Amino acid sequence: MEHMKSLEDIKNIKIDPNRFIHSSTHEEILKGSTTDVYFLRTMDILREMNLESQIVTAEIFARKSGVFAGVQEVINMLKDKRVEVWAVDEGESFNAKETLIRIKGSYSEFGVFETAMLGSLASASGWATASKEVKEACGDKTFLCFGARHVHPAVAPVMERAAVIGGATGVSCVLASKLLGIEASGTLPHAAMLIAGDTLEVAKVYDQVMPESHKRTVLVDTFKDEVEESLRIAESLGERLYGVRLDTPSERGGVTPQLVNELRHKLDHKGYNHVKIFVSGGLTPEKIRILKDAGADSFGVGSYISGASAIDMTMDIKEVNNKAVAKRGRIPGLVENEKLRRVL
């Protein structure tokens, strides 16, 4: 696809008055429509100076350490351009100022994509880094990403994909799961219980309609005391009950370690040692460590990942026609990184 190369091209952008969402389409990104306008202004000036075809080498680095994600989208932006690209693998940890991507070619081939490339890497790496922090807190326990409801639907799959790169066991968003080639994960919402009026009745039908391979996990904080409800359901479903989910709202103090500990002991006392305790609701790495020690087996994490700050990314021109260059304050020439590998 031919991308924009001049301020004049902006005049050709037409917005459909019936446009459904305000996010960019794949085609708009590939055309360069999400660029900062000054890159198009740069192209007009370089063209006037007969410099638009100068061969340059650019490097992308981060302002702080983290987990690298978003690389595949950058590759997709550049795969039909006449450029050479090296990149660090997704999922790799990186340090501040470490070279993460190197691009060599005519500036007119890729300069307009700087905004989109940096944004893709910054957001995804921020989410992946937060996910790694959660994974470290979980230790040998698992966690699912429940963050889709906290971000714009256009980027929910991007966020949940980044969460898996960072260490999440699974995701709740259907499209994210399809992109990752895994099954979407989740239990049941409070809506099901509230509409039916009885958690146990919902649990019975849930057990009946789900395939045998499904791990039956029931939400237990809608109507009754969480321990009482868990024991009712465990008695009814028996060995078919895989786990119970605690999602006690903040209005009632949230899920506490005391609640988890009591539930674990009373389930065990009644012979339901096989029933797992799944916890969700406003979890942070600190809370996860405490609840894990109290007996929780798995976690659903949303806003800690979805609300993570992007990791600022910067792209610098480091060579022009193989001559080392740099802006003031930066070191001229390439910054080597043994983790870089050729991707285009």
Side-chain angles (χ1 to χ4, degrees), residues 211-260:
E212 287 296 320
S213 59
H214 180 72
K215 295 179 178 179
R216 291 152 173 77
T217 304
V218 180
L219 183 62
V220 293
D221 59 70
T222 308
F223 296 115
K224 299 179 182 294
D225 172 81
E226 294 89 342
V227 175
E228 176 189 353
E229 195 76 280
S230 296
L231 293 174
R232 286 178 75 217
I233 294 166
E235 182 179 357
S236 177
L237 269 62
E239 291 294 326
R240 297 172 66 81
L241 179 64
Y242 178 79
V244 292
R245 176 162 74 100
L246 301 175
D247 192 56
T248 307
S250 58
E251 291 85 348
R252 296 190 67 245
V255 180
T256 66
Q258 292 81 8
L259 172 59
V260 172

Side-chain angles (χ1 to χ4, degrees), residues 37-146:
V37 69
Y38 70 174
F39 291 116
L40 292 171
R41 184 170 292 114
T42 297
M43 289 309 307
D44 284 347
I45 292 170
L46 291 177
R47 191 176 300 108
E48 187 68 21
M49 300 173 70
N50 294 317
L51 296 175
E52 76 274 15
S53 296
Q54 294 283 290
I55 299 299
V56 304
T57 304
E59 291 183 340
I60 296 175
F61 64 88
R63 294 289 182 171
K64 64 178 184 179
S65 61
V67 175
F68 200 37
V71 180
Q72 189 57 54
E73 290 186 334
V74 172
I75 293 172
N76 290 341
M77 290 179 213
L78 301 177
K79 65 183 179 182
D80 65 342
K81 309 302 177 186
R82 289 171 295 181
V83 295
E84 299 174 24
V85 182
W86 296 259
V88 170
D89 289 338
E90 284 194 309
E92 283 278 357
S93 295
F94 60 81
N95 296 316
K97 301 296 181 73
E98 188 175 323
T99 302
L100 301 175
I101 292 183
R102 178 179 294 148
I103 307 168
K104 184 174 183 178
S106 168
Y107 186 72
S108 62
E109 287 289 304
F110 69 91
V112 167
F113 294 102
E114 178 171 338
T115 307
M117 291 189 295
L118 297 184
S120 296
L121 297 171
S123 292
S125 295
W127 291 321
T129 301
S131 182
K132 182 184 179 183
E133 293 167 1
V134 172
K135 177 60 180 174
E136 290 173 345
C138 287
D140 60 352
K141 306 296 185 180
T142 61
F143 79 97
L144 303 174
C145 182
F146 284 176

Side-chain angles (χ1 to χ4, degrees), residues 9-28:
D9 293 332
I10 296 176
K11 297 178 181 179
N12 297 323
I13 298 177
K14 307 297 181 184
I15 302 299
D16 185 342
N18 297 315
R19 189 182 183 115
F20 177 61
I21 54 176
H22 296 133
S23 59
S24 55
T25 65
H26 297 169
E27 292 75 18
E28 287 168 331

